[in-house]
Amino acid sequence: MNRIEGRVKVTGLATYAAEYPVEGVTYAYPVQSQVAKGRIARVDDREALAMPGVLAVLSSERPPELAPEAEGELALFQSREVAYRGQIVAAVVADTYENARAAAAVVRVEYQPQAHDVHLSTEHPGLYRPKTVNPGFPTDTGHGDVEAGLAAAATTIDVTYTTPVLHNNPMEPHASLAYWDDLGRLMVYDASQGATSGRDIIARTFGLPRDAVRVVARHVGGGFGSKGTTRPQAVLAAMAAREVGRPVKIALTRHQMYDVTGYRTPTIQRLRLGADADGRLTALEHVAYEQSSTVEEFAEQTAVPGRVMYGTPALRTAHRLVRLDVATPSWMRAPGECPGMYALESAMDELAYAAGLDPVELRVLNDPETEPGSGRPFSSRNLVGCLREGARRFDWERRDPQPGVRRDGEWLIGTGVAASTYPARRMPSKAVVAAQDGEFLVQIAAADIGTGARTVLTKIAAETLGVAPDQVHVEIGDSDLPDAFLAGGSMGTASWGSAVFRACEDFQRDGKEGHADTAEEIAKDAELARHAFGAQFAEVRVNAVTGEVRVSRLLGVFAAGHIMDATLARSQFIGGMTMGLGMALMEETYTDEEFGGFLRRDLAQYHIPANADVPNLEAVWLEEEDEELNPMGSKGIGEIGIVGTAAAIGNAVFHAAGHRVRDLPITPAKILMPRF
Amino acid sequence: MKQFEYARAASPADAVRRFEPGTMYLGGGTNLVDLMRLGVAQPDRLVDVSHLPLDAIEQDGDRLRIGAAVRNTDLAAHPLVRVRYPMLARAVLAGASGQVRNMATIGGNLLQRTRCGYYQDVTRPCNKRRPGSGCPAIEGDHGNLAILGASDSCVATHPSDMAVALAALGAEVHVTGPGGDRVIPMPGLHRLPGDTPERDTVLEPGDLITAVELPAPPPGPSIYRKVRERASFAFALVSIAAALDLRDGVVRDCRIALGGVAHVPWRAERAEQALIGGQATGEAFLAAAEAELELARPLPRNAFKVPLARNLIVRTLEELAS
Amino acid sequence: MDITLQVNGVSRAVDVDPRMSLLDLLRERLALIGPKKGCDHGQCGACTVLIDGRRANSCLALAVAMDGSEIVTVEGLAEGEALHPLQAAFIEHDAFQCGYCTPGQLCSAAGMLGEPGPSAVTEDLRADPELTPAEIRERMSGNLCRCGAYPNIVTAIAEVAP
């Protein structure tokens, strides 16, 4: 079964947020702060207001009313304080995009600038221990005595890895189209990963009852976390529409996205590992240093993988955060696991070399019986199976561990392995199924951001109802549909699928209508450790002349419960792995210490992988039967593909070139100048 | 984008006649429209020269004349360019994307502006964009900026691949303008920043490039090679255009030009001089590369370009010699 | 300014602001939402259309400069209900996820298949190369896909390539 929306997507008819035809639409264009910290003394909008087609200028001079509950990045124009360079400080509304943009360029904002600080370091005096880390995990955990474990170890390593600011960069820029109807109801077409949560946030921000807001997001051009929370442009569109009494459309530019739609925090991660003479871990310590803004606290859960991955008598994981004069970081594909597993799995490779062990065998040897951080049993865990299957397919047995010795002309060749993990959770959602002219209508406010949600929910409904998929019509992407969790945390299909499954069961009692609300069912789920696992194998070529690194082969083997649709699953896995390849070799946003803010805010300078970077990419999986997950027996697959990829590639680069780069991305500069 | 007037020129002379201060010529638009949208370029008037009959590639004895409005794709696909000037075909194909190459003209390719992040951001200082405002790149983001010929005012690099090949080939740039017609030999079109980095080239206001003329190709094999961390659709970290003519192991002629290292396509004349007349050995190639790179003044984050350029020169010459 | 262009075979006369891009003209004035705005600077390829038969970034083309041109967008690839072979192959090989880069990928592929000459990865410049997967990857690198559908895109195009 091909993607249900395939035809509308290939014919150009699929409608994304900024593309709904609305009578009398106007255009808003934001003005961004040019200082990194300070206070707005004055906004002079006279010249802008005199420009052709300009309808309004919004700013903190006359703060448009929002509810007292409006918070963080969404409390637009409510304060005169500037928290970071690039923050939205004003906006112009005009009859055309060209007029709005031209007028925005002449809005004069006078600042009282203050000294700013945008530099993350492990020595920063402002570092503190956040109360929890995203999405509510304990900040620091541990058991046993790490120092004693290290002291008793036959082999130890103490290494620090750094990762840069990374940007989600979905292909569709964040966009919203808003209007207020005759009854005062607010309609927002939004590039959003969750219509229900988007509606709730917008309602709270404007002090409206939830049913006075409708959010529609039928097609979303990728998000990777950055559309998981409502972004300022949605509030701005609604605010501006109220101001001018007409529909307002705003599509952020690619440059603006870098500032106001979230990013992955840079990390500094220190790993200390010890192993006994056999290679069994005696201690594992993972401390992550990260940043957030002064607007909001976002603490990425970077050190959590150590709580899941390997058995050890002594474990310590900790997070330290500093609030800088920077934009607010947020979710980017596999927050926590992605950067954390880059460091942990690189460190495991270093430990294997230090101990003279095979990196696959080291991981197998330390595979735990129960979840190390909690002591809970796993609902299922097949990391060892993934490692073994990958090793078989990659001919790992014949690998010479010696680094820096395989050469093909200018190219040094190496292979590397890393493990992957991602939690398998689900969240309460509601669904309704009804019979309609011999067909079955399934309604749920789910989101399809490219995952294939519409398609897989159709399959779940058809199988549960025992009918053909083409008899089932699934309606999603609208907050007027039954409330659903957002597309995030690899929880979409598990959450929505559970609701659709139960609604279909309910339907079968009378054949007319079925309802489900999975809140109670999920509350009763047993206390188990539920995670997907995987193993990534990379073969890289490192050019000895130029320092260029090319990935010649990438293989992911995953154990993620029951795979419901092989085609969609493969696409998710390889997509995640491709983003991991970008993280390993090219992705980086430059923080401008002198002026604050980011530089290279475009796709010419922030390189995401191009087609030519991805020659040979395979994703396979081990089918798992796990009845402790959800009615489908599935684990989420949207994020695990990116987890471990960068480590596998980095480990392969070490194997090829013979020196370890501990600072992403691994660019020619760092290959050519090892101390760069 | 600031409001502007638009007109199509009927002929090169008409274009020049329409020129007045505030006018810019519009070719394929792939860089100019980009810069206008950023607010970096703010013309009052665009004179569209993309439709002028300057789109022919004509053979003239052992020379080749390329109209300034020829699209990059057509240049690289032209049989004579592929066979006689493979270095040029490869340089063009190494640049941008298929779509951009379909739009971009030869004249416009030569007149691309730097991709330095400060230059492209009108909210930050930049001596090239706003003379006298300063060059934050020197202390800041210069990882892909110049190691050769830079100044205290500017460390920008010229982004074109094609221009590097043209510099190695010794192409001639034909220009018409208010001051009449003239011919500028490459690499002389572009200039080092000095204390006037706002000027990329020696062109005067109103000058319009009408053609690029290639002399007979240099004897011997030639190469264009581009280094970048993304495998395609990325500007060069360093690139090289080179040709080597050997007889009995002795270098008779040699052309080396580097991209991604300077405000101009950098003709490595020191290296060429060191090689010509000498034995074509690995030691000689290394000595030549080092002679050239003695001139390098790298900054902390672009210092890798020195070993990269050295390796590239040596390896390229070795390949040409074999 | 008044301009006239052929869009998907239909003559359209429009009065445009000189600052308007071809992309914005198509999307905001002519209700053709197939061409996508991903970067607005020619760096992603989502806006790719065919201008006079050649693939081009419509975000970098000023609408006024397109007077007299023939434009084909993704909406113009299919023949009525019958999909273009590339469109069918993209569906069959799951060559997209979010779908936002897809119209640009399709127009780019359609243009690329008719483009002469070598590419940056062609060994022998003198011969017109076969469209191997490596050739397709290089020629399609002007179309970024953040979902990472590249291997499927290459498979789909290879199926249609001569």
Side-chain angles (χ1 to χ4, degrees), chain B residues 21 48 51 63 72 138 146 183 188 195 202 204 221 253 255 262 295 297 299 317:
Chain B
D48 189 343
H51 301 271
R63 298 170 72 84
N72 282 219
I138 291 171
V183 176
D195 54 10
V202 300
E204 297 294 334
D253 189 21
R255 309 282 182 89
L295 302 170
R297 299 289 176 268
L299 295 162
L317 292 171

mmCIF file of all heavy atoms in Angstrom, chain B residues 21 48 51 63 72 138 146 183 188 195 202 204 221 253 255 262 295 297 299 317:
data_model
loop_
_atom_site.group_PDB
_atom_site.id
_atom_site.type_symbol
_atom_site.label_atom_id
_atom_site.label_comp_id
_atom_site.label_asym_id
_atom_site.label_seq_id
_atom_site.Cartn_x
_atom_site.Cartn_y
_atom_site.Cartn_z
ATOM 1 N N PRO B 21 23.938 56.084 -12.254
ATOM 2 C CA PRO B 21 24.193 55.621 -10.883
ATOM 3 C C PRO B 21 22.941 54.971 -10.271
ATOM 4 O O PRO B 21 21.828 55.485 -10.442
ATOM 5 C CB PRO B 21 24.568 56.918 -10.152
ATOM 6 C CG PRO B 21 25.155 57.788 -11.218
ATOM 7 C CD PRO B 21 24.384 57.469 -12.468
ATOM 8 N N ASP B 48 17.971 44.536 -17.709
ATOM 9 C CA ASP B 48 18.060 43.097 -17.953
ATOM 10 C C ASP B 48 18.876 42.840 -19.216
ATOM 11 O O ASP B 48 18.478 43.231 -20.314
ATOM 12 C CB ASP B 48 16.640 42.539 -18.102
ATOM 13 C CG ASP B 48 16.608 41.025 -18.153
ATOM 14 O OD1 ASP B 48 17.666 40.402 -18.392
ATOM 15 O OD2 ASP B 48 15.519 40.451 -17.969
ATOM 16 N N HIS B 51 18.715 38.764 -22.088
ATOM 17 C CA HIS B 51 18.140 38.433 -23.398
ATOM 18 C C HIS B 51 18.966 38.966 -24.556
ATOM 19 O O HIS B 51 18.575 38.810 -25.711
ATOM 20 C CB HIS B 51 16.707 38.981 -23.493
ATOM 21 C CG HIS B 51 15.801 38.442 -22.447
ATOM 22 N ND1 HIS B 51 15.066 37.294 -22.607
ATOM 23 C CD2 HIS B 51 15.538 38.872 -21.187
ATOM 24 C CE1 HIS B 51 14.375 37.048 -21.512
ATOM 25 N NE2 HIS B 51 14.644 37.994 -20.625
ATOM 26 N N ARG B 63 41.068 29.775 -31.041
ATOM 27 C CA ARG B 63 40.472 30.446 -29.876
ATOM 28 C C ARG B 63 38.971 30.143 -29.802
ATOM 29 O O ARG B 63 38.362 29.722 -30.784
ATOM 30 C CB ARG B 63 40.694 31.966 -29.960
ATOM 31 C CG ARG B 63 42.179 32.354 -29.957
ATOM 32 C CD ARG B 63 42.373 33.827 -30.294
ATOM 33 N NE ARG B 63 41.945 34.721 -29.212
ATOM 34 C CZ ARG B 63 42.703 35.041 -28.174
ATOM 35 N NH1 ARG B 63 43.921 34.537 -28.056
ATOM 36 N NH2 ARG B 63 42.250 35.868 -27.245
ATOM 37 N N ASN B 72 25.693 28.723 -17.876
ATOM 38 C CA ASN B 72 26.752 27.825 -17.392
ATOM 39 C C ASN B 72 26.582 26.404 -17.931
ATOM 40 O O ASN B 72 27.544 25.766 -18.344
ATOM 41 C CB ASN B 72 26.758 27.785 -15.861
ATOM 42 C CG ASN B 72 27.409 29.019 -15.240
ATOM 43 O OD1 ASN B 72 28.127 28.934 -14.256
ATOM 44 N ND2 ASN B 72 27.170 30.195 -15.821
ATOM 45 N N ILE B 138 37.626 38.687 10.714
ATOM 46 C CA ILE B 138 39.020 38.436 11.096
ATOM 47 C C ILE B 138 39.084 37.834 12.497
ATOM 48 O O ILE B 138 39.856 36.906 12.747
ATOM 49 C CB ILE B 138 39.839 39.743 10.985
ATOM 50 C CG1 ILE B 138 39.969 40.124 9.498
ATOM 51 C CG2 ILE B 138 41.219 39.581 11.625
ATOM 52 C CD1 ILE B 138 40.555 41.502 9.257
ATOM 53 N N ALA B 146 39.772 33.805 3.271
ATOM 54 C CA ALA B 146 41.031 33.835 2.507
ATOM 55 C C ALA B 146 42.276 33.589 3.351
ATOM 56 O O ALA B 146 42.376 34.010 4.498
ATOM 57 C CB ALA B 146 41.150 35.185 1.806
ATOM 58 N N VAL B 183 39.582 44.981 -23.281
ATOM 59 C CA VAL B 183 39.811 43.569 -23.024
ATOM 60 C C VAL B 183 40.651 43.450 -21.765
ATOM 61 O O VAL B 183 41.695 44.106 -21.647
ATOM 62 C CB VAL B 183 40.549 42.909 -24.218
ATOM 63 C CG1 VAL B 183 40.870 41.454 -23.896
ATOM 64 C CG2 VAL B 183 39.695 43.006 -25.481
ATOM 65 N N GLY B 188 43.350 39.165 -14.280
ATOM 66 C CA GLY B 188 43.360 40.580 -13.925
ATOM 67 C C GLY B 188 42.006 41.219 -13.708
ATOM 68 O O GLY B 188 41.936 42.387 -13.323
ATOM 69 N N ASP B 195 42.613 48.283 0.890
ATOM 70 C CA ASP B 195 41.731 49.034 1.788
ATOM 71 C C ASP B 195 40.473 49.521 1.075
ATOM 72 O O ASP B 195 39.769 50.393 1.567
ATOM 73 C CB ASP B 195 42.479 50.184 2.474
ATOM 74 C CG ASP B 195 43.169 51.085 1.459
ATOM 75 O OD1 ASP B 195 42.889 50.907 0.243
ATOM 76 O OD2 ASP B 195 43.957 51.943 1.870
ATOM 77 N N VAL B 202 38.129 45.223 -11.491
ATOM 78 C CA VAL B 202 38.626 46.476 -12.055
ATOM 79 C C VAL B 202 37.588 47.146 -12.955
ATOM 80 O O VAL B 202 37.872 48.165 -13.573
ATOM 81 C CB VAL B 202 39.944 46.251 -12.846
ATOM 82 C CG1 VAL B 202 41.016 45.676 -11.930
ATOM 83 C CG2 VAL B 202 39.708 45.329 -14.058
ATOM 84 N N GLU B 204 34.650 49.438 -14.286
ATOM 85 C CA GLU B 204 34.192 50.777 -13.919
ATOM 86 C C GLU B 204 32.662 50.792 -13.971
ATOM 87 O O GLU B 204 32.047 49.956 -14.629
ATOM 88 C CB GLU B 204 34.755 51.799 -14.926
ATOM 89 C CG GLU B 204 36.274 51.893 -14.940
ATOM 90 C CD GLU B 204 36.842 52.441 -13.634
ATOM 91 O OE1 GLU B 204 36.135 53.180 -12.925
ATOM 92 O OE2 GLU B 204 38.018 52.093 -13.321
ATOM 93 N N PRO B 221 47.988 17.765 -20.271
ATOM 94 C CA PRO B 221 46.731 17.465 -19.585
ATOM 95 C C PRO B 221 46.373 18.551 -18.573
ATOM 96 O O PRO B 221 47.238 19.291 -18.104
ATOM 97 C CB PRO B 221 47.029 16.144 -18.878
ATOM 98 C CG PRO B 221 48.501 16.138 -18.670
ATOM 99 C CD PRO B 221 49.089 16.900 -19.827
ATOM 100 N N ASP B 253 55.644 23.901 -19.598
ATOM 101 C CA ASP B 253 54.645 24.922 -19.263
ATOM 102 C C ASP B 253 53.800 24.398 -18.112
ATOM 103 O O ASP B 253 53.646 23.175 -17.951
ATOM 104 C CB ASP B 253 53.760 25.239 -20.471
ATOM 105 C CG ASP B 253 52.870 26.460 -20.210
ATOM 106 O OD1 ASP B 253 53.206 27.270 -19.310
ATOM 107 O OD2 ASP B 253 51.831 26.596 -20.886
ATOM 108 N N ARG B 255 50.340 25.651 -15.513
ATOM 109 C CA ARG B 255 49.337 26.629 -15.079
ATOM 110 C C ARG B 255 48.732 26.123 -13.777
ATOM 111 O O ARG B 255 48.293 24.968 -13.702
ATOM 112 C CB ARG B 255 48.187 26.735 -16.101
ATOM 113 C CG ARG B 255 48.622 26.956 -17.522
ATOM 114 C CD ARG B 255 49.018 28.409 -17.749
ATOM 115 N NE ARG B 255 49.381 28.576 -19.160
ATOM 116 C CZ ARG B 255 48.487 28.892 -20.105
ATOM 117 N NH1 ARG B 255 47.209 29.037 -19.804
ATOM 118 N NH2 ARG B 255 48.874 29.025 -21.356
ATOM 119 N N ALA B 262 41.373 33.180 -1.792
ATOM 120 C CA ALA B 262 41.669 34.612 -1.907
ATOM 121 C C ALA B 262 40.472 35.385 -2.442
ATOM 122 O O ALA B 262 39.486 34.810 -2.913
ATOM 123 C CB ALA B 262 42.877 34.831 -2.820
ATOM 124 N N LEU B 295 53.380 32.791 0.972
ATOM 125 C CA LEU B 295 52.639 34.054 0.986
ATOM 126 C C LEU B 295 51.397 33.987 1.886
ATOM 127 O O LEU B 295 50.756 35.008 2.135
ATOM 128 C CB LEU B 295 52.184 34.395 -0.440
ATOM 129 C CG LEU B 295 53.283 34.529 -1.490
ATOM 130 C CD1 LEU B 295 52.662 34.624 -2.892
ATOM 131 C CD2 LEU B 295 54.129 35.764 -1.206
ATOM 132 N N ARG B 297 48.789 33.935 4.814
ATOM 133 C CA ARG B 297 48.641 34.519 6.144
ATOM 134 C C ARG B 297 47.333 34.000 6.734
ATOM 135 O O ARG B 297 46.339 34.704 6.778
ATOM 136 C CB ARG B 297 48.598 36.057 6.060
ATOM 137 C CG ARG B 297 49.839 36.705 5.480
ATOM 138 C CD ARG B 297 51.041 36.622 6.438
ATOM 139 N NE ARG B 297 52.236 37.170 5.806
ATOM 140 C CZ ARG B 297 53.118 36.445 5.110
ATOM 141 N NH1 ARG B 297 52.930 35.130 4.956
ATOM 142 N NH2 ARG B 297 54.172 37.006 4.566
ATOM 143 N N LEU B 299 44.361 32.596 9.199
ATOM 144 C CA LEU B 299 43.756 32.965 10.471
ATOM 145 C C LEU B 299 43.517 31.662 11.244
ATOM 146 O O LEU B 299 43.599 30.569 10.675
ATOM 147 C CB LEU B 299 42.447 33.710 10.217
ATOM 148 C CG LEU B 299 42.626 35.064 9.505
ATOM 149 C CD1 LEU B 299 41.311 35.534 8.900
ATOM 150 C CD2 LEU B 299 43.190 36.097 10.465
ATOM 151 N N LEU B 317 49.629 17.955 -9.402
ATOM 152 C CA LEU B 317 50.770 17.924 -10.319
ATOM 153 C C LEU B 317 51.251 16.487 -10.529
ATOM 154 O O LEU B 317 51.596 16.101 -11.647
ATOM 155 C CB LEU B 317 51.898 18.815 -9.779
ATOM 156 C CG LEU B 317 51.585 20.322 -9.778
ATOM 157 C CD1 LEU B 317 52.662 21.096 -9.015
ATOM 158 C CD2 LEU B 317 51.454 20.859 -11.201
#
